[in-house]
Amino acid sequence: MITVSNQEGDTIRQIQVRAEPSDMQFSTMKTDDQTSAAENTISVVIGRKTLFLFNLNEPDNPMDMEFQQRYGNIVCYSWYGDGYIMIGFSRGIFVVISTHKQEIGQEIFQARGHKDNLTSIAVSQTLNKAASCGDNCIKIHDLSELRDMYAIVNLDDENKGLGMLSWTDDGQLLALSTQRGSLHVFLTKLPVLGDSCCTRIAYLTSLLEVTIANLVEGEPPITISVDVEPTFVAVGLYHLAVGMNNRAWFYVLGENAVKKLKDVEYLGTVASICLHSDYAAALFEGKVQLHLIESEIADAQEERETRLFPAVDEKCRILCHALTCEFLIYGTDTGVIQYFYIEDWQFVNDYRHPVSVKKIFPDSNGTRLVFIDEKSDGFVYSPVNDATYEIPDFSPTIKGVLWENWPLDKGVFIAYDDDKVYTYVFHKDTIQGPKVIWAGGTKLPFAHKPLLLYNGELTCQTQSGKTNNIYLSTHSFLGSSKDAGPEELRQMLAQTLTLRRFTDAWDICRTLNNPAAWSELARGCLYHMEVDFAIHVYRAIRNVGMVMSLEQIKGIEDYHLLAGHLAMFTNDFNLAQDLYLASSCPVAALEMRRDLQHWDSALQLAKRLAPDQIPFISKEYAMQLEFTGDYANALAHYEKGITGDNKDHDELCLAGVAQMSIRMGDIRRGVNQALKHPSRVLKRDCGAILENMKQFSEAAQLYEKGLYYDKAASVYIRCKNWVKVGELLPHVSSPKIHLQYAKAKEADGRYKEAVVAYENAKQWNSVIRIYLDHLNNPEKAVSIVRETQSLDGAKMVARFFLQLGDYGSAIQFLVLSKCNNEAFTLAQQHNKMEIYADIIGSEDTSNEDYQSIALYFEGEKRHFQAGKFFLLCGQYSRALKHFLKCPSSEDNVAIEMAIETVGQAKDELLISQLIDHLMGENDGMPKDAKYLFRLYMALKQYREAARTAIIIAREEQSAGNYRNAHDVLFSMYAELKSQKIKIPSEMATNLMILHSYILVKIHVKNGDHMKGARMLIRVANNISKFPSHIVPILTSTVIECHRAGLKNSAFSFAAMLMRPEYRNKIDAKYKKKIEAMVRRPDTSETEEATTPCPFCQFLLPECELLCPGCKNNIPYCIATGRHMLKDDWTLCPHCDFPALYSEFKILLNTESTCPMCSERLNSAQLKKMLDCTPYLRAEMGQ
């Protein structure tokens, strides 16, 4: 029987069961009714086999749960979680069932935990663990994952078997009774007690043992055995404190050993204690006691040994406290945070918060402090300026806060709860002012309590009495970035910038080598006001403009002014304006808005900061409004811009007023303003506006006043004001306007004015038309046609002459107008073909026109003209046929034309025909050899031409025409030289002898008998080449040699004259004298001077041209006939023949032409050659 009674002992329920009940428990069975939270179910084991569930709310519906026989008897059971029951059976099996309606009676989990027997199970909901015992061991399972074994404890000594298991409420202890009568108690977890001071940490490693470590500074851990099981631990720079209830034990941390210092009893149960170098502060029952740790300190004054806070008269309770090297800081239930300065032993700062302050966490210096109020909101408080900054995304479950202890990372702190660590950064100096930024979160492993943060590494205490280091996810850049991908590196860059780790950011940017990354780093530096580092970055990315801008501002000490500049560089102009206005130089805001052309803002600022700048800003604003088409406001601002004392500025404003007035429809005002204004450009612009508005007379007036005559005339034409156009024409350059005026004047019958205008408009056809049709001035028309080569004009003139019957002129102008067919027909009709042919011959004409003329002349049997036009149209064989048929009166010209024809045709058959004609094969009359020479020249057969030239020269020489012979040889010589063909030695020799003969006359005329005599000796030695004049030449030689004192030479040539064939031909004047020379010979002779050979420097007579030393033919001087000298060399600039520079200059004093080529020359044109080697080399090549 089961009976349920209430508190008064009245029976509520009574129920009959079928076997003996045992192990009765009250619990809550889960139903669909979510509101029921009371214990509504009684569970009881019936007959050790079944579990009976009786719901008090449903008494008519009890449940009997039976289990499989193989499980054995029910030993014990335990409710846990959300309506689950764990049941242990005697054969080592335990089962979990659910009491949820949908799952009732189902086995959620079943396992054989023990091989032979199970004596007890116990569940700790605090630890989320279940323990079972049997087979001399305890097994512990995790309730969240029952399949996993958390721990096994073996008890080999208990040979009589195990008894019952039980957990303490906090799950810290597990007790086991045994059949032998003993009780075993196991510690399942240590209390997580720990503290840190700077980089030193102290934490509980067993119930009576504390370990102190300073891994950052590399100190070995020290383990301290303590006398009691502590409930609080605190560590300072030199001391450790542990304690429980109202007592604390202090230990001194020596270099080699730790010694117990003393124990202190406080006036109440200690909630927490803080230590630093000399002082300790204990919090108990809403009070804080500050006291010296070692009261034996020599200079400690008595009143400074201890103090109790708050004072008796202060009605508040202290809820939290902290101790730094200089301050005791505490927070109260009235929301006050007090700073007590230990050095001066007085309060130095207090901050009043609207609600009570639960926890405070200062940084190592106490200059920044995080506090959490009773609403679980977090704030950063700066006692320096008494400012607080709310911490964003601050979790209400936060248990504590740690500041970064790495010296370079000031401002970084973490807040942590049971599951997560949140990293925050307090940015003190940014362009947006001080801010707290959430940097990221890191998962915290189970049962880890953070003790120390150093350079992104978090040292945590675990329940097992050990420490574990975890790295914050916000500091992932501290690992190796070499293997990271670009996306990962970009995330790292964002982390470094958030944490102000600019050197690390620089390294990441170098790895990324990406312009976007460098720009992000540069912007980060500007945001955090790191000007020097920003310069470094911008210099690296070669942004010269930013480097120069930052260099100019880096020395600014005014925070707001510097931040304003940097905000402007980051394009946050509104923030920049606010900062500038808060700075010592508020006018910078105005300058910025002006530079940005934010004129509305600039005007507002100017009213406050610089009223004298309003006119200038108004003008700039008006220009922008004009550009956007807002003419009404532009006019208003132009008017505001007039100062009255700044001439240039006011002129611009008045110009704007004029233009805007016109655009707004106030034309009279605008035009008057523009006419008064000195600017030509304004008149042009206003004129253009008026012209677009169809206000032509005002537009023309302004154009005229602005001296834009073309535009003015154009507008006057549009309003038909011809009088004004006529007045302006002398100043107008546009042909279009002249043309319009000319047409108007022609329509009025004023032809003289029209023709002048047409001429100015370059309309020549109209000019010609008026001269012919209206002014009857054909001479002027003809001269214009000749000058301008106008085709239409030529046609008009041709028609005019045709009407007059002047067919020759008509033909000429028809050809000029390219009407060749009409001209040809006219010439045929009126027998004027010669005129047509002459005109056509001088024009650029087609082959068909030439052919038609040629056929006409062929029909007329006029062979020369026919041949000429067949040649022009490229019909060479017909041309040659007609040239060869020409009558003897035209022979010379015809042969010349025949040679030209063959030269152009390059046809072997035609060449042989012409050669046969020249040789007289057809008519038995050979033609002059000069024609054969010209033929070979025309055919570019220079070697044959050279041979012919030699023959011609020989014939001319024989006939006594020595100059002609010289010119033929010279021209051939020059032609061969230009074609780089070797000169035949016979030609060169003949030219040299003939040239020597020509030089004789020059030297004798100039009275230089020695040079004349030497040249005559050279000629006389080759007298056979001068058959027509043997006796006169020998006579001259004898006379000149006698005059020059060359008596022996005179005698030898006189003896030659005495030969019978020459003697009777001697001139009577000289005969007796020559006979006397022979009868009385004088063999004295002036010896010829010697000069060096230019090739080998061998000394030889100056008129000798063959060097005995090197056997070279030496070039001769065209002025003297002597051989050339290397250091006295010049060339005729026309024929390129050499001459002795000094001698040629003397010769040109009396002569005005070159003796070789007969071209005009003066001594100034001569240039002395310093190096004649190229010429000598060419001579050797010849």
Side-chain angles (χ1 to χ4, degrees):
M1 176 74 70
I2 299 171
T3 304
V4 182
S5 306
N6 63 12
Q7 288 174 337
E8 284 74 33
D10 302 333
T11 301
I12 299 169
R13 293 272 186 272
Q14 207 167 37
I15 190 164
Q16 189 82 29
V17 291
R18 61 187 177 186
E20 184 187 338
S22 63
D23 198 358
M24 188 183 295
Q25 296 180 20
F26 274 96
S27 189
T28 305
M29 183 169 151
K30 290 294 172 187
T31 62
D32 292 337
D33 181 12
Q34 296 292 323
T35 58
S36 174
E39 293 179 329
N40 58 10
T41 304
I42 297 166
S43 57
V44 63
V45 177
I46 306 294
R48 300 182 66 191
K49 290 290 184 188
T50 62
L51 185 64
F52 179 76
L53 299 179
F54 177 65
N55 191 333
L56 297 175
N57 300 330
E58 298 177 18
D60 303 331
N61 192 17
M63 271 175 277
D64 246 340
M65 281 190 251
E66 291 195 17
F67 299 92
Q68 297 177 41
Q69 288 293 322
R70 65 185 181 87
Y71 290 175
N73 295 333
I74 296 174
V75 176
C76 59
Y77 69 95
S78 177
W79 289 76
Y80 75 94
D82 194 14
Y84 294 100
I85 307 172
M86 183 180 285
I87 309 163
F89 295 90
S90 58
R91 290 185 181 167
I93 292 165
F94 71 90
V95 173
V96 177
I97 62 169
S98 169
T99 61
H100 291 206
K101 237 178 190 173
Q102 296 87 344
E103 303 171 331
I104 200 151
Q106 291 180 20
E107 291 184 8
I108 303 295
F109 177 78
Q110 178 262 108
R112 192 180 192 100
H114 299 273
K115 186 180 174 186
D116 297 327
N117 71 329
L118 183 148
T119 61
S120 180
I121 61 169
V123 174
S124 170
Q125 302 224 39
T126 312
L127 281 185
N128 204 35
K129 300 279 189 292
S132 63
C133 62
D135 298 342
N136 283 14
C137 72
I138 302 169
K139 292 186 177 179
I140 299 170
H141 296 263
D142 199 316
L143 289 179
S144 54
E145 190 51 72
L146 286 163
R147 285 181 181 78
D148 294 344
M149 190 75 67
Y150 179 75
I152 300 175
V153 182
N154 289 308
L155 297 137
D156 297 334
D157 298 341
E158 297 298 338
N159 46 19
K160 290 186 179 179
L162 307 180
M164 298 300 292
L165 273 174
S166 181
W167 296 91
T168 55
D169 290 341
D170 62 2
Q172 190 170 352
L173 300 174
L174 175 65
L176 168 69
S177 63
T178 67
Q179 299 295 335
R180 205 177 63 175
S182 57
L183 182 69
H184 295 270
V185 180
F186 299 95
L187 183 67
T188 58
K189 62 171 185 176
L190 273 172
V192 180
L193 290 177
D195 189 29
S196 65
C197 179
C198 298
T199 55
R200 174 174 284 144
I201 57 172
Y203 53 96
L204 205 61
T205 40
S206 87
L207 289 174
L208 295 172
E209 186 180 89
V210 176
T211 298
I212 295 173
N214 191 342
L215 301 174
V216 173
E217 293 181 12
E219 294 177 10
I222 305 169
T223 304
I224 301 165
S225 297
V226 294
D227 300 339
V228 294
E229 188 181 319
T231 55
F232 57 84
V233 171
V235 69
L237 291 179
Y238 315 114
H239 305 90
L240 169 73
V242 296
M244 62 184 293
N245 297 334
N246 66 337
R247 287 189 74 180
W249 285 263
F250 288 87
Y251 296 84
V252 178
L253 309 176
E255 281 187 19
N256 303 317
V258 177
K259 68 171 186 180
K260 189 172 171 184
L261 181 65
K262 62 178 179 180
D263 64 306
V264 177
E265 267 192 49
Y266 296 101
L267 302 173
T269 303
V270 174
S272 65
I273 194 164
C274 299
L275 311 183
H276 211 271
S277 52
D278 300 329
Y279 282 87
L283 171 65
F284 52 86
E285 296 173 3
K287 295 181 172 57
V288 167
Q289 183 176 346
L290 176 69
H291 63 88
L292 277 169
I293 300 170
E294 299 183 40
S295 50
E296 294 82 26
I297 292 174
D299 59 350
Q301 297 164 11
E302 195 173 320
E303 72 273 7
R304 293 170 68 102
E305 281 194 16
T306 184
R307 179 163 174 174
L308 195 64
F309 301 90
V312 179
D313 55 346
E314 288 183 47
K315 303 284 186 252
C316 65
R317 283 173 53 77
I318 296 175
L319 302 181
C320 52
H321 79 304
L323 194 62
T324 69
C325 54
E326 294 179 316
F327 301 104
L328 166 69
I329 310 161
Y330 61 80
T332 69
D333 58 351
T334 57
V336 177
I337 297 175
Q338 288 277 16
Y339 269 72
F340 181 76
Y341 186 35
I342 298 169
E343 181 72 27
D344 292 349
W345 206 252
Q346 64 181 23
F347 290 104
V348 288
N349 199 67
D350 64 343
Y351 167 72
R352 297 187 180 277
H353 192 63
V355 294
S356 62
V357 176
K358 287 197 305 184
K359 295 177 183 175
I360 59 170
F361 307 94
D363 67 358
S364 57
N365 300 322
T367 52
R368 296 187 185 105
L369 172 135
V370 173
F371 68 87
I372 302 172
D373 63 15
E374 69 173 1
K375 294 179 182 174
S376 296
D377 291 332
F379 299 86
V380 172
Y381 168 62
S382 173
V384 178
N385 57 359
D386 223 28
T388 57
Y389 311 96
E390 188 169 0
I391 301 172
D393 305 321
F394 197 74
S395 169
T397 59
I398 293 297
K399 295 278 197 301
V401 170
L402 288 176
W403 285 89
E404 173 66 81
N405 278 286
W406 193 53
L408 300 180
D409 240 4
K410 288 182 178 168
V412 177
F413 63 91
I414 58 133
Y416 59 88
D417 56 18
D418 290 336
D419 306 317
K420 203 167 182 185
V421 175
Y422 306 89
T423 307
Y424 292 96
V425 192
F426 175 52
H427 291 153
K428 182 169 162 285
D429 296 317
T430 74
I431 56 175
Q432 294 180 352
K435 266 190 172 185
V436 181
I437 304 290
W438 179 74
T442 308
K443 188 165 174 27
L444 193 63
F446 177 71
H448 275 54
K449 179 197 172 187
L451 286 179
L452 173 70
L453 175 62
Y454 188 84
N455 196 17
E457 190 176 358
L458 190 62
T459 304
C460 300
Q461 184 181 2
T462 66
Q463 289 183 342
S464 61
K466 294 179 181 169
T467 59
N468 185 22
N469 288 2
I470 61 171
Y471 289 92
L472 299 180
S473 62
T474 50
H475 290 61
S476 60
F477 60 88
L478 292 170
S480 175
S481 60
K482 287 177 183 171
D483 305 327
E487 192 54 44
E488 222 177 318
L489 285 169
R490 277 192 281 276
Q491 289 173 359
M492 289 182 183
L493 178 62
Q495 290 175 357
T496 55
L497 294 178
T498 304
L499 297 171
R500 302 181 78 249
R501 303 279 282 257
F502 296 115
T503 309
D504 296 305
W506 174 275
D507 294 337
I508 291 168
C509 284
R510 285 181 64 177
T511 307
L512 268 171
N513 199 19
N514 178 329
W518 285 110
S519 297
E520 196 177 338
L521 172 56
R523 282 195 301 275
C525 293
L526 295 180
Y527 178 79
H528 291 291
M529 301 177 69
E530 290 286 340
V531 178
D532 287 327
F533 207 93
I535 291 171
H536 190 37
V537 175
Y538 279 119
R539 194 168 276 140
I541 59 178
R542 290 177 163 70
N543 188 334
V544 179
M546 280 302 289
V547 172
M548 291 175 73
S549 301
L550 291 169
E551 286 282 1
Q552 286 173 356
I553 66 164
K554 74 174 182 182
I556 294 174
E557 292 181 4
D558 182 335
Y559 166 82
H560 290 104
L561 183 58
L562 179 61
H565 287 315
L566 297 174
M568 180 175 68
F569 294 156
T570 57
N571 296 337
D572 192 342
F573 303 119
N574 292 336
L575 174 62
Q577 177 175 317
D578 295 342
L579 289 164
Y580 282 140
L581 292 174
S583 75
S584 58
C585 182
V587 78
L590 172 60
E591 289 167 9
M592 177 189 75
R593 290 298 184 187
R594 283 184 73 169
D595 291 342
L596 291 168
Q597 299 187 355
H598 295 170
W599 302 115
D600 273 333
S601 304
L603 279 170
Q604 296 299 320
L605 290 167
K607 283 175 189 170
R608 263 169 56 200
L609 302 172
D612 59 314
Q613 291 298 307
I614 290 174
F616 302 100
I617 296 168
S618 293
K619 182 203 78 177
E620 300 285 351
Y621 193 13
M623 289 167 77
Q624 187 178 2
L625 290 167
E626 180 185 351
F627 184 71
T628 57
D630 186 352
Y631 301 127
N633 284 322
L635 175 59
H637 282 290
Y638 274 129
E639 287 169 340
K640 279 184 196 167
I642 298 167
T643 61
D645 57 3
N646 188 323
K647 187 183 172 202
D648 293 343
H649 170 79
D650 287 355
E651 280 183 3
L652 284 170
C653 290
L654 289 167
V657 168
Q659 285 175 300
M660 293 309 102
S661 298
I662 292 170
R663 288 194 186 279
M664 293 298 294
D666 191 351
I667 290 168
R668 182 179 294 173
R669 181 190 178 190
V671 170
N672 288 338
Q673 195 74 258
L675 288 170
K676 282 191 282 181
H677 202 281
S679 168
R680 280 182 67 216
V681 175
L682 174 65
K683 295 178 177 66
R684 181 195 67 194
D685 293 345
C686 289
I689 297 167
L690 288 162
E691 194 178 345
N692 288 335
M693 294 166 70
K694 304 285 189 292
Q695 302 293 321
F696 296 126
S697 60
E698 290 88 350
Q701 183 189 359
L702 284 174
Y703 281 141
E704 189 179 349
K705 285 285 184 187
L707 310 182
Y708 293 99
Y709 297 116
D710 285 18
K711 288 181 179 290
S714 172
V715 177
Y716 278 131
I717 285 170
R718 288 175 78 174
C719 51
K720 302 287 187 290
N721 190 340
W722 298 110
V723 176
K724 272 290 190 185
V725 177
E727 288 174 14
L728 294 178
L729 271 186
H731 305 293
V732 171
S733 59
S734 166
K736 186 179 169 188
I737 292 163
H738 284 289
L739 179 60
Q740 286 174 298
Y741 183 71
K743 283 177 181 174
K745 288 296 167 189
E746 187 181 355
D748 290 350
R750 299 169 72 170
Y751 299 115
K752 285 187 178 176
E753 291 176 39
V755 87
V756 171
Y758 276 130
E759 281 180 2
N760 288 333
K762 306 284 189 291
Q763 293 291 315
W764 302 114
N765 293 343
S766 299
V767 174
I768 293 161
R769 178 173 52 75
I770 289 177
Y771 274 131
L772 292 175
D773 296 351
H774 300 296
L775 297 178
N776 198 22
N777 190 345
E779 293 86 357
K780 191 71 177 163
V782 166
S783 72
I784 289 169
V785 169
R786 291 192 193 286
E787 205 176 301
T788 62
Q789 298 290 303
S790 164
L791 300 185
D792 293 335
K795 280 181 192 171
M796 284 189 270
V797 173
R799 276 199 300 276
F800 180 80
F801 282 123
L802 204 53
Q803 287 166 4
L804 292 178
D806 185 348
Y807 301 117
S809 298
I811 289 166
Q812 182 183 356
F813 284 99
L814 281 170
V815 170
L816 198 58
S817 66
K818 301 281 188 275
C819 299
N820 291 2
N821 293 340
E822 291 94 321
F824 180 75
T825 309
L826 193 64
Q828 257 184 332
Q829 286 170 358
H830 299 285
N831 200 20
K832 299 284 185 186
M833 193 56 76
E834 289 88 347
I835 293 170
Y836 178 61
D838 285 347
I839 296 163
I840 278 285
S842 61
E843 293 289 326
D844 183 15
T845 314
S846 67
N847 286 346
E848 289 80 5
D849 290 332
Y850 289 137
Q851 186 176 349
S852 59
I853 298 170
L855 291 169
Y856 172 82
F857 283 127
E858 190 176 40
E860 295 284 315
K861 299 280 190 291
R862 292 168 68 176
H863 299 299
F864 183 76
Q865 296 284 13
K868 179 180 170 186
F869 284 95
F870 276 130
L871 172 59
L872 284 171
C873 69
Q875 297 187 22
Y876 302 117
S877 60
R878 292 176 79 174
L880 182 63
K881 184 177 82 175
H882 283 289
F883 285 135
L884 297 183
K885 281 183 181 176
C886 281
S888 56
S889 59
E890 296 175 355
D891 210 9
N892 290 354
V893 186
I895 291 172
E896 294 280 1
M897 292 300 285
I899 289 168
E900 189 180 335
T901 304
V902 171
Q904 284 183 29
K906 304 280 192 301
D907 186 320
E908 292 297 328
L909 183 63
L910 297 184
I911 293 167
S912 64
Q913 278 180 25
L914 182 55
I915 290 172
D916 288 349
H917 179 76
L918 292 175
M919 303 304 271
E921 297 288 332
N922 302 335
D923 55 4
M925 290 172 61
K927 306 297 182 286
D928 195 329
K930 69 182 179 185
Y931 296 121
L932 198 59
F933 169 66
R934 284 182 192 150
L935 174 63
Y936 286 135
M937 288 297 281
L939 295 171
K940 298 191 170 61
Q941 295 180 4
Y942 299 112
R943 287 189 172 81
E944 289 79 357
R947 283 199 291 274
T948 312
I950 293 167
I951 294 163
I952 293 167
R954 199 178 293 143
E955 286 177 3
E956 292 283 0
Q957 234 170 311
S958 300
N961 300 327
Y962 304 123
R963 185 81 220 187
N964 289 356
H966 176 278
D967 290 348
V968 168
L969 288 176
F970 167 72
S971 61
M972 195 63 235
Y973 188 101
E975 189 63 45
L976 291 173
K977 196 169 175 186
S978 69
Q979 298 300 327
K980 296 191 171 50
I981 295 170
K982 189 173 182 185
I983 313 291
S985 59
E986 185 183 357
M987 179 187 280
T989 305
N990 286 355
L991 180 61
M992 180 268 293
I993 292 164
L994 283 168
H995 189 68
S996 301
Y997 180 74
I998 283 162
L999 286 178
V1000 171
K1001 289 182 181 175
I1002 296 170
H1003 292 316
V1004 171
K1005 184 179 81 177
N1006 290 338
D1008 194 338
H1009 297 293
M1010 178 57 81
K1011 285 178 187 158
R1014 292 290 182 199
M1015 291 302 102
L1016 277 168
I1017 290 169
R1018 185 180 290 165
V1019 171
N1021 285 335
N1022 294 278
I1023 198 65
S1024 60
K1025 296 190 188 309
F1026 302 88
S1028 310
H1029 297 84
I1030 292 175
V1031 173
I1033 289 171
L1034 288 174
T1035 304
S1036 300
T1037 308
V1038 170
I1039 291 163
E1040 284 304 312
C1041 286
H1042 189 72
R1043 281 179 182 169
L1046 304 177
K1047 304 288 174 55
N1048 194 32
S1049 298
F1051 166 72
S1052 61
F1053 290 117
M1056 197 185 291
L1057 274 171
M1058 289 297 110
R1059 289 180 188 169
E1061 63 265 33
Y1062 305 141
R1063 189 166 185 172
N1064 294 328
K1065 296 177 186 174
I1066 301 170
D1067 192 334
K1069 273 197 295 187
Y1070 303 114
K1071 193 171 182 182
K1072 285 185 180 176
K1073 192 182 269 188
I1074 291 167
E1075 286 174 348
M1077 273 186 211
V1078 174
R1079 288 195 191 102
R1080 291 185 293 280
D1082 184 351
T1083 55
S1084 63
E1085 180 101 347
T1086 306
E1087 196 170 324
E1088 190 175 354
T1090 58
T1091 49
C1093 163
F1095 291 104
C1096 66
Q1097 306 304 311
F1098 182 85
L1099 289 173
L1100 70 160
E1102 58 187 5
C1103 288
E1104 185 61 54
L1105 300 182
L1106 180 66
C1107 175
C1110 59
K1111 301 294 185 283
N1112 272 320
N1113 280 314
I1114 306 174
Y1116 57 90
C1117 165
I1118 58 174
T1120 62
R1122 297 171 182 169
H1123 70 71
M1124 289 299 294
L1125 299 175
K1126 205 169 188 177
D1127 55 358
D1128 193 20
W1129 199 293
T1130 189
L1131 295 175
C1132 167
H1134 302 296
C1135 62
D1136 225 24
F1137 269 78
L1140 294 168
Y1141 178 71
S1142 54
E1143 295 290 346
F1144 206 179
K1145 279 188 82 169
I1146 294 165
L1147 181 73
L1148 288 176
N1149 291 336
T1150 55
E1151 300 294 317
S1152 59
T1153 59
C1154 168
M1156 177 61 80
C1157 62
S1158 304
E1159 295 286 343
R1160 294 193 70 78
L1161 192 63
N1162 61 53
S1163 56
Q1165 291 172 266
L1166 294 183
K1167 288 189 172 50
K1168 189 170 183 179
M1169 283 180 67
L1170 299 174
D1171 183 15
C1172 59
T1173 318
Y1175 194 92
L1176 293 174
R1177 210 173 283 138
E1179 284 293 320
M1180 288 174 78
Q1182 291 287 348

